[in-house]
Amino acid sequence: MKTKWSILLLFMGIPCMTSAWNYPVFGTSNVLDLPALLVQHANGDQTLALYTAAVETDTAAQYTDKVYVLRDSLYPVEVRLCYRSYTAYAMWEMWMEISHQEKKPILLKRFDSGHFTIPQGNVWMTHFHGDWAAEGTPTESKLERGTISIQNTDGTRNAHVDAPSVVFALDGPLEEYHGRTVAATLCWSGNYELRCNTTNDGQHHFYAGISPQASEYVLSPKETFITPHLAVAYSESGMNECSRIFHRWARETGRINHPSMPRPILLNSWEGIYFDITEERMIAMIDDIADMGGELFVMDDGWFGGKYARNTDNAALGDWKVDTRKLPNGLQPLIDHAHARGIRFGIWIEPEFTNTLSELFEQHPDWVLRVHGRKLRLGRGDTQLVLDMTNPKVQDFVFNIVDNLITTYPDIAYIKWDANTSLENYGSPYLPKDKQSNLYIAYHQGLQKTLQRIRAKYPDVIIQNCASGGGRANYGLMPYFDEMWVSDNNDALQRLFIWWTASYFFPANTLAQHVGGSPYHMTGRNLPIKFRCDVAMFGRMGLELNSRHMSQDEQVQCAQAIQDYKQIRPLVQQGNLYRLVSPYADKHTMSLMFVNDQQTEAVLYGFRTDFLKQQYIEKVRLKGLDADKTYRLEELDVVGKKRAPIVLSGKTLMEEGIDLPLYSDFASVVYKISIEK
Ligand code: GLA
């Protein structure tokens, strides 16, 4: 059995206990290497020549940390290269800490979190590009000589255009269950750059860190700059094992909030009624979700505003008081009604932003990011602006939005925290002139500080990470959140694709999936209600449609789905995920399953994605079961007559597989699997 450190050494060129560190530094390394670290000293010199002053090892319950303490031979600069190796699974984190005692600030011009080398071979790299409503599209190519740069420069969000994650398949194109695989994600919510430089000798040098573009960091004497962590999982049997390592790591090491708390089933008001909030409509929606067996109601955008009403997306962000034109009696009657119906109450906010049409902007024009002397560039609604999160007063303001809401309404159980505009006005009225280039980073440091305060005071509230959908799908922010809104594209067919790659790195209890309307407003597609429910049942289940417009059949099917989801919730939210048939594989189906640790219970899903191109679909071979046990497969989410249960051995299910009964476009099936008594 190889030790974790020796796997790193063998496949990734990261130091083992005895070898040297692997982190190219400008001024020390071969000039042909791309540097991971480039520093300009106060006197203008741009070189570093680091030597190992000490190696520290520290062992905790879950991991061992190894830190190379490096010092410059000429300047009082110290760099700590930190590597964390987990004991129970093939997972590492790496990061860098830099400090100095020069008389004046130094400039960090490149400061990657980590670097590793993958040896020559048939190596393929996958990254996840996309856009709003099309997050996480996998793009794979064989690594050839030259440099690939994956980056995101949105400023406030970092997962729409390209996510801060890559996967290397070392033995040919990426597969779920075969091949040496390295999956890496940068735990950061701001701009980043992931570089892969394949040198002439065929070695692949991977670098990951905060993007230095317009973001050179001015480091004051005695200040320590700590980079975000780069998290890396390794498997000798494909992507699926890497995902399961990531899921376990996220749950066991505080990378998500409330890792084992069952997530409530909810109805969100947004796609049902948008800004048209009234007390009557909210009460009706609360009643509907209660009648269908749900557990929480979320009042989305549109509930606030004073001088400016929030009737569309162009006004009132920052004016976080209840709009009494829409809710004359305030929030309390809604919360009370929800409680009377056994439903918890949640609310939408977008705290880091304002609009030019807002009282906040009128009172504090210096609280927004802006460039002195230039016209403001405006975001969503042609009025949206980003608050200056570097400013402690703004941080207090943002903290107080949550604090006021929860102290006034202690029964608020859930917050949807949104972020709908990029950082386009590159200037902070708060930061001093000589630290303006710290803005991209200082923004996210300010945000994290604020979220830490919120979490310290309100550990129990459930908070959803939403950023125009999945714009903040990163482990920089997830420690403060319970779940994410995976995409604004809630068409259930599209969701099969978006969810597929989201699950590469994030466990299913963090991936919110909602039953949407049909035809779906964005795609115009009509999908059967059972298909829409079955898709919602493999994430954190919810509904997002106008419950008043649902037909009787739709309501009955949703109630059935909610009832059945409660049975399988521990499996979905805590079980081991096995992706079986990829929607990207053009096999006309998508299939996945979750299995418990004891291999006694599982849930299997199958979806027909198209019928026209091929009527016959391949058998699906299950995974993760015990070959020697006999299992019983019973259909879930069926209104009316169910098919007869299937009883087969784990061996047959996994080796021969089963035919999924998907005989028409958008047919779907969910099987609960248990041990046959
Ligand atoms: C963003 C979110 C949506 C919704 C709207 C409200 O687009 O992603 O889910 O909350 O904002 O304006």
Side-chain angles (χ1 to χ4, degrees):
M1 168 72 182
K2 292 186 210 95
T3 67
K4 299 288 176 329
W5 291 108
S6 66
I7 295 173
L8 276 170
L9 180 67
L10 203 59
F11 294 113
M12 294 154 68
I14 293 169
C16 75
M17 285 303 187
T18 51
S19 77
W21 42 276
N22 177 2
Y23 187 79
V25 173
F26 188 79
T28 312
S29 311
N30 183 333
V31 286
L32 298 179
D33 287 342
L34 299 180
L37 180 63
L38 199 171
V39 165
Q40 183 164 32
H41 303 279
N43 66 2
D45 179 356
Q46 297 197 104
T47 64
L48 278 175
L50 301 179
Y51 65 92
T52 309
V55 182
E56 297 169 0
T57 305
D58 191 16
T59 303
Q62 289 168 307
Y63 53 76
T64 302
D65 278 348
K66 192 168 160 69
V67 178
Y68 290 82
V69 183
L70 315 175
R71 301 225 169 89
D72 190 80
S73 49
L74 199 55
Y75 297 94
V77 173
E78 182 175 289
V79 172
R80 292 169 64 82
L81 287 182
C82 310
Y83 299 92
R84 175 166 295 171
S85 174
Y86 284 88
T87 315
Y89 35 86
M91 179 97 193
W92 301 269
E93 287 171 38
M94 49 193 85
W95 70 99
M96 187 271 290
E97 302 176 356
I98 182 167
S99 57
H100 71 96
Q101 312 250 354
E102 295 192 23
K103 290 207 171 57
K104 289 192 178 150
I106 64 171
L107 195 59
L108 308 184
K109 295 184 141 186
R110 170 73 75 176
F111 37 101
D112 280 328
S113 296
H115 165 263
F116 57 78
T117 305
I118 293 175
Q120 306 95 324
N122 187 14
V123 181
W124 292 64
M125 181 174 124
T126 303
H127 65 99
F128 306 92
H129 75 88
D131 211 323
W132 169 76
E135 292 86 342
T137 312
T139 299
E140 184 174 33
S141 53
K142 184 171 187 304
L143 289 177
E144 304 288 0
R145 266 66 173 179
T147 306
I148 298 174
S149 163
I150 310 295
Q151 38 182 306
N152 197 313
T153 52
D154 181 280
T156 62
R157 306 159 297 180
N158 73 358
H160 271 142
V161 181
D162 229 304
S165 308
V166 286
V167 182
F168 297 101
L170 276 53
D171 301 304
L174 182 64
E175 291 191 39
E176 276 293 323
Y177 296 100
H178 298 106
R180 293 169 302 162
T181 306
V182 178
T185 191
L186 188 71
C187 305
W188 178 239
S189 52
N191 293 352
Y192 63 83
E193 187 176 7
L194 312 176
R195 296 175 294 160
C196 186
N197 181 27
T198 303
T199 42
N200 212 27
D201 59 4
Q203 309 253 38
H204 312 286
H205 302 275
F206 178 66
Y207 303 73
I210 292 176
S211 168
Q213 182 179 299
S215 194
E216 293 177 344
Y217 193 84
V218 182
L219 186 68
S220 301
K222 303 204 176 85
E223 181 187 347
T224 301
F225 184 84
I226 303 176
T227 69
H229 291 203
L230 172 67
V232 184
Y234 173 74
S235 165
E236 295 190 338
S237 53
M239 186 63 220
N240 205 83
E241 193 186 16
C242 284
S243 295
R244 279 183 286 118
I245 293 172
F246 262 106
H247 299 172
R248 194 169 160 193
W249 166 82
R251 290 183 178 122
E252 290 180 1
T253 69
R255 287 289 174 184
I256 53 174
N257 203 41
H258 301 132
S260 54
M261 185 193 74
R263 268 65 174 154
I265 301 161
L266 59 83
L267 170 66
N268 178 299
S269 66
W270 178 245
E271 293 184 5
I273 56 144
Y274 301 98
F275 296 99
D276 297 334
I277 286 178
T278 63
E279 185 173 310
E280 196 192 352
R281 287 189 188 121
M282 295 297 95
I283 297 275
M285 288 182 118
I286 290 167
D287 282 338
D288 292 337
I289 188 62
D291 290 344
M292 286 184 277
E295 299 158 332
L296 194 140
F297 172 71
V298 184
M299 180 168 65
D300 209 282
D301 197 353
W303 61 268
F304 53 92
K307 177 174 166 190
Y308 299 96
R310 181 78 176 165
N311 293 330
T312 176
D313 60 7
N314 73 352
L317 289 177
D319 304 343
W320 298 106
K321 50 197 167 209
V322 178
D323 186 341
T324 45
R325 288 157 296 213
K326 296 182 184 178
L327 300 170
N329 304 308
L331 296 188
Q332 203 55 51
L334 304 181
I335 298 174
D336 290 345
H337 186 73
H339 277 211
R341 296 297 321 264
I343 296 290
R344 290 197 273 165
F345 190 81
I347 198 159
W348 179 95
I349 51 175
E350 197 183 351
E352 305 149 66
F353 302 84
T354 188
N355 298 106
T356 49
L357 301 176
S358 72
E359 292 169 62
L360 180 71
F361 181 63
E362 286 171 357
Q363 286 154 15
H364 297 286
D366 56 329
W367 278 12
V368 301
L369 294 176
R370 60 193 315 164
V371 184
H372 184 67
R374 290 196 191 280
K375 201 167 165 254
L376 284 167
R377 287 166 63 93
L378 302 168
R380 189 185 190 201
D382 286 332
T383 55
Q384 192 160 332
L385 293 166
V386 183
L387 293 180
D388 186 356
M389 290 299 291
T390 71
N391 182 342
K393 284 196 183 131
V394 175
Q395 293 167 18
D396 286 347
F397 171 78
V398 169
F399 171 80
N400 285 331
I401 297 169
V402 175
D403 197 31
N404 290 340
L405 267 175
I406 305 186
T407 34
T408 318
Y409 306 104
D411 287 332
I412 288 181
Y414 176 108
I415 286 175
K416 175 172 173 179
W417 181 301
D418 214 335
N420 288 311
T421 282
S422 316
L423 197 165
E424 294 206 41
N425 298 289
Y426 191 86
S428 159
Y430 174 77
L431 289 175
K433 283 197 182 74
D434 58 358
K435 287 204 170 167
Q436 285 292 316
S437 67
N438 286 12
L439 172 54
Y440 277 136
I441 295 170
Y443 181 92
H444 289 273
Q445 290 168 333
L447 172 60
Q448 289 206 16
K449 226 165 120 183
T450 311
L451 285 163
Q452 278 157 12
R453 279 174 74 191
I454 291 171
R455 273 307 179 197
K457 187 155 180 196
Y458 300 109
D460 295 335
V461 66
I462 301 168
I463 312 186
Q464 183 185 72
N465 167 5
C466 175
S468 312
R472 282 179 163 172
N474 62 64
Y475 277 115
L477 285 186
M478 280 311 286
Y480 311 106
F481 292 89
D482 295 66
E483 58 171 43
M484 67 178 87
W485 182 224
V486 186
S487 177
D488 272 355
N489 189 338
N490 192 31
D491 174 308
L493 183 67
Q494 303 264 283
R495 210 64 171 203
L496 298 180
F497 293 81
I498 296 172
W499 182 93
W500 189 264
T501 51
S503 76
Y504 277 13
F505 292 92
F506 298 98
N509 60 345
T510 65
L511 303 176
Q513 301 270 92
H514 293 178
V515 177
S518 183
Y520 187 65
H521 69 104
M522 201 179 281
T523 55
R525 189 180 280 119
N526 280 297
L527 289 168
I529 184 63
K530 175 167 162 56
F531 188 95
R532 287 180 274 144
C533 286
D534 289 353
V535 170
M537 286 173 79
F538 61 75
R540 194 279 287 130
M541 186 182 190
L543 278 71
E544 188 158 342
L545 37 63
N546 191 333
S547 50
R548 289 286 131 151
H549 294 171
M550 290 170 86
S551 66
Q552 177 73 13
D553 286 353
E554 284 180 319
Q555 282 177 13
V556 169
Q557 184 78 58
C558 281
Q560 184 70 50
I562 289 173
Q563 184 185 320
D564 289 355
Y565 181 77
K566 287 177 183 167
Q567 283 185 49
I568 55 168
R569 175 159 40 191
L571 277 168
V572 177
Q573 298 193 0
Q574 298 297 322
N576 299 307
L577 167 68
Y578 294 89
R579 289 179 297 261
L580 302 177
V581 185
S582 167
Y584 289 102
D586 213 11
K587 293 194 164 186
H588 324 289
T589 44
M590 185 271 206
S591 180
L592 69 134
M593 63 188 289
F594 299 95
V595 185
N596 68 354
D597 286 340
Q598 302 74 25
Q599 299 170 297
T600 52
E601 285 184 7
V603 54
L604 168 70
Y605 302 79
F607 300 92
R608 187 75 194 236
T609 52
D610 64 82
F611 186 77
L612 177 70
K613 282 195 268 173
Q614 175 54 272
Q615 283 167 270
Y616 303 101
I617 54 175
E618 292 170 18
K619 279 180 190 288
V620 169
R621 280 184 282 174
L622 278 56
K623 294 272 182 193
L625 300 175
D626 182 339
D628 297 328
K629 291 195 167 98
T630 303
Y631 293 95
R632 179 182 186 86
L633 281 65
E634 278 176 285
E635 266 194 283
L636 288 183
D637 195 23
V638 175
V639 175
K641 200 168 175 311
K642 293 184 181 180
R643 292 184 183 86
I646 300 168
V647 177
L648 286 171
S649 71
K651 184 172 160 53
T652 308
L653 287 166
M654 293 193 291
E655 289 182 4
E656 284 178 30
I658 54 167
D659 289 309
L660 294 177
L662 304 174
Y663 306 123
S664 61
D665 249 0
F666 312 131
S668 60
V669 66
V670 183
Y671 286 114
K672 178 158 194 263
I673 303 178
S674 47
I675 297 284
E676 172 71 348
K677 305 253 163 47

PDB file of all heavy atoms in Angstrom, residues 147-159:
ATOM      1  N   THR A 147       0.850  26.296 -23.163  1.00  0.00           N
ATOM      2  CA  THR A 147       0.221  26.669 -21.890  1.00  0.00           C
ATOM      3  C   THR A 147      -1.265  26.915 -22.073  1.00  0.00           C
ATOM      4  O   THR A 147      -1.679  27.615 -22.991  1.00  0.00           O
ATOM      5  CB  THR A 147       0.879  27.956 -21.331  1.00  0.00           C
ATOM      6  OG1 THR A 147       2.277  27.736 -21.261  1.00  0.00           O
ATOM      7  CG2 THR A 147       0.350  28.299 -19.960  1.00  0.00           C
ATOM      8  N   ILE A 148      -2.048  26.334 -21.201  1.00  0.00           N
ATOM      9  CA  ILE A 148      -3.497  26.582 -21.175  1.00  0.00           C
ATOM     10  C   ILE A 148      -3.777  27.410 -19.929  1.00  0.00           C
ATOM     11  O   ILE A 148      -3.250  27.102 -18.850  1.00  0.00           O
ATOM     12  CB  ILE A 148      -4.278  25.258 -21.080  1.00  0.00           C
ATOM     13  CG1 ILE A 148      -4.002  24.392 -22.312  1.00  0.00           C
ATOM     14  CG2 ILE A 148      -5.769  25.509 -20.937  1.00  0.00           C
ATOM     15  CD1 ILE A 148      -4.622  23.018 -22.217  1.00  0.00           C
ATOM     16  N   SER A 149      -4.602  28.425 -20.093  1.00  0.00           N
ATOM     17  CA  SER A 149      -4.966  29.241 -18.937  1.00  0.00           C
ATOM     18  C   SER A 149      -6.483  29.261 -18.812  1.00  0.00           C
ATOM     19  O   SER A 149      -7.182  29.621 -19.754  1.00  0.00           O
ATOM     20  CB  SER A 149      -4.426  30.661 -19.130  1.00  0.00           C
ATOM     21  OG  SER A 149      -5.085  31.543 -18.257  1.00  0.00           O
ATOM     22  N   ILE A 150      -6.979  28.853 -17.661  1.00  0.00           N
ATOM     23  CA  ILE A 150      -8.419  28.896 -17.373  1.00  0.00           C
ATOM     24  C   ILE A 150      -8.594  29.997 -16.339  1.00  0.00           C
ATOM     25  O   ILE A 150      -7.957  29.950 -15.283  1.00  0.00           O
ATOM     26  CB  ILE A 150      -8.908  27.574 -16.739  1.00  0.00           C
ATOM     27  CG1 ILE A 150      -8.453  26.354 -17.531  1.00  0.00           C
ATOM     28  CG2 ILE A 150     -10.403  27.592 -16.518  1.00  0.00           C
ATOM     29  CD1 ILE A 150      -9.017  26.242 -18.890  1.00  0.00           C
ATOM     30  N   GLN A 151      -9.434  30.955 -16.634  1.00  0.00           N
ATOM     31  CA  GLN A 151      -9.566  32.032 -15.652  1.00  0.00           C
ATOM     32  C   GLN A 151     -10.958  32.599 -15.596  1.00  0.00           C
ATOM     33  O   GLN A 151     -11.771  32.374 -16.484  1.00  0.00           O
ATOM     34  CB  GLN A 151      -8.563  33.140 -15.931  1.00  0.00           C
ATOM     35  CG  GLN A 151      -8.326  33.461 -17.377  1.00  0.00           C
ATOM     36  CD  GLN A 151      -7.264  34.538 -17.512  1.00  0.00           C
ATOM     37  OE1 GLN A 151      -7.399  35.593 -16.914  1.00  0.00           O
ATOM     38  NE2 GLN A 151      -6.227  34.292 -18.295  1.00  0.00           N
ATOM     39  N   ASN A 152     -11.212  33.313 -14.540  1.00  0.00           N
ATOM     40  CA  ASN A 152     -12.488  33.989 -14.377  1.00  0.00           C
ATOM     41  C   ASN A 152     -12.195  35.369 -13.816  1.00  0.00           C
ATOM     42  O   ASN A 152     -11.462  35.510 -12.844  1.00  0.00           O
ATOM     43  CB  ASN A 152     -13.378  33.200 -13.411  1.00  0.00           C
ATOM     44  CG  ASN A 152     -14.822  33.623 -13.530  1.00  0.00           C
ATOM     45  OD1 ASN A 152     -15.128  34.808 -13.541  1.00  0.00           O
ATOM     46  ND2 ASN A 152     -15.712  32.654 -13.622  1.00  0.00           N
ATOM     47  N   THR A 153     -12.756  36.378 -14.471  1.00  0.00           N
ATOM     48  CA  THR A 153     -12.456  37.752 -14.060  1.00  0.00           C
ATOM     49  C   THR A 153     -13.728  38.531 -13.708  1.00  0.00           C
ATOM     50  O   THR A 153     -13.771  39.740 -13.820  1.00  0.00           O
ATOM     51  CB  THR A 153     -11.697  38.492 -15.193  1.00  0.00           C
ATOM     52  OG1 THR A 153     -12.441  38.333 -16.404  1.00  0.00           O
ATOM     53  CG2 THR A 153     -10.310  37.943 -15.392  1.00  0.00           C
ATOM     54  N   ASP A 154     -14.756  37.804 -13.288  1.00  0.00           N
ATOM     55  CA  ASP A 154     -16.034  38.453 -12.945  1.00  0.00           C
ATOM     56  C   ASP A 154     -15.889  39.402 -11.752  1.00  0.00           C
ATOM     57  O   ASP A 154     -16.573  40.408 -11.664  1.00  0.00           O
ATOM     58  CB  ASP A 154     -17.061  37.360 -12.614  1.00  0.00           C
ATOM     59  CG  ASP A 154     -18.418  37.910 -12.267  1.00  0.00           C
ATOM     60  OD1 ASP A 154     -18.617  38.364 -11.117  1.00  0.00           O
ATOM     61  OD2 ASP A 154     -19.301  37.903 -13.138  1.00  0.00           O
ATOM     62  N   GLY A 155     -15.029  39.043 -10.827  1.00  0.00           N
ATOM     63  CA  GLY A 155     -14.795  39.927  -9.674  1.00  0.00           C
ATOM     64  C   GLY A 155     -15.595  39.552  -8.446  1.00  0.00           C
ATOM     65  O   GLY A 155     -15.050  39.395  -7.366  1.00  0.00           O
ATOM     66  N   THR A 156     -16.926  39.424  -8.591  1.00  0.00           N
ATOM     67  CA  THR A 156     -17.721  39.060  -7.407  1.00  0.00           C
ATOM     68  C   THR A 156     -18.039  37.571  -7.381  1.00  0.00           C
ATOM     69  O   THR A 156     -18.237  36.996  -6.319  1.00  0.00           O
ATOM     70  CB  THR A 156     -19.063  39.831  -7.343  1.00  0.00           C
ATOM     71  OG1 THR A 156     -19.846  39.496  -8.495  1.00  0.00           O
ATOM     72  CG2 THR A 156     -18.845  41.322  -7.292  1.00  0.00           C
ATOM     73  N   ARG A 157     -18.171  36.946  -8.569  1.00  0.00           N
ATOM     74  CA  ARG A 157     -18.540  35.519  -8.651  1.00  0.00           C
ATOM     75  C   ARG A 157     -17.464  34.828  -9.478  1.00  0.00           C
ATOM     76  O   ARG A 157     -16.728  35.487 -10.202  1.00  0.00           O
ATOM     77  CB  ARG A 157     -19.908  35.389  -9.336  1.00  0.00           C
ATOM     78  CG  ARG A 157     -20.965  36.243  -8.660  1.00  0.00           C
ATOM     79  CD  ARG A 157     -22.145  36.548  -9.532  1.00  0.00           C
ATOM     80  NE  ARG A 157     -21.786  37.325 -10.696  1.00  0.00           N
ATOM     81  CZ  ARG A 157     -22.648  37.726 -11.622  1.00  0.00           C
ATOM     82  NH1 ARG A 157     -23.917  37.438 -11.484  1.00  0.00           N
ATOM     83  NH2 ARG A 157     -22.251  38.409 -12.672  1.00  0.00           N
ATOM     84  N   ASN A 158     -17.360  33.519  -9.422  1.00  0.00           N
ATOM     85  CA  ASN A 158     -16.263  32.944 -10.205  1.00  0.00           C
ATOM     86  C   ASN A 158     -16.542  31.589 -10.833  1.00  0.00           C
ATOM     87  O   ASN A 158     -15.611  30.874 -11.179  1.00  0.00           O
ATOM     88  CB  ASN A 158     -14.974  32.893  -9.368  1.00  0.00           C
ATOM     89  CG  ASN A 158     -15.026  31.809  -8.305  1.00  0.00           C
ATOM     90  OD1 ASN A 158     -16.017  31.109  -8.156  1.00  0.00           O
ATOM     91  ND2 ASN A 158     -13.942  31.673  -7.563  1.00  0.00           N
ATOM     92  N   ALA A 159     -17.826  31.247 -11.002  1.00  0.00           N
ATOM     93  CA  ALA A 159     -18.072  29.913 -11.556  1.00  0.00           C
ATOM     94  C   ALA A 159     -18.979  29.905 -12.786  1.00  0.00           C
ATOM     95  O   ALA A 159     -19.330  28.838 -13.270  1.00  0.00           O
ATOM     96  CB  ALA A 159     -18.644  29.008 -10.476  1.00  0.00           C
TER      97      ALA A 159
END
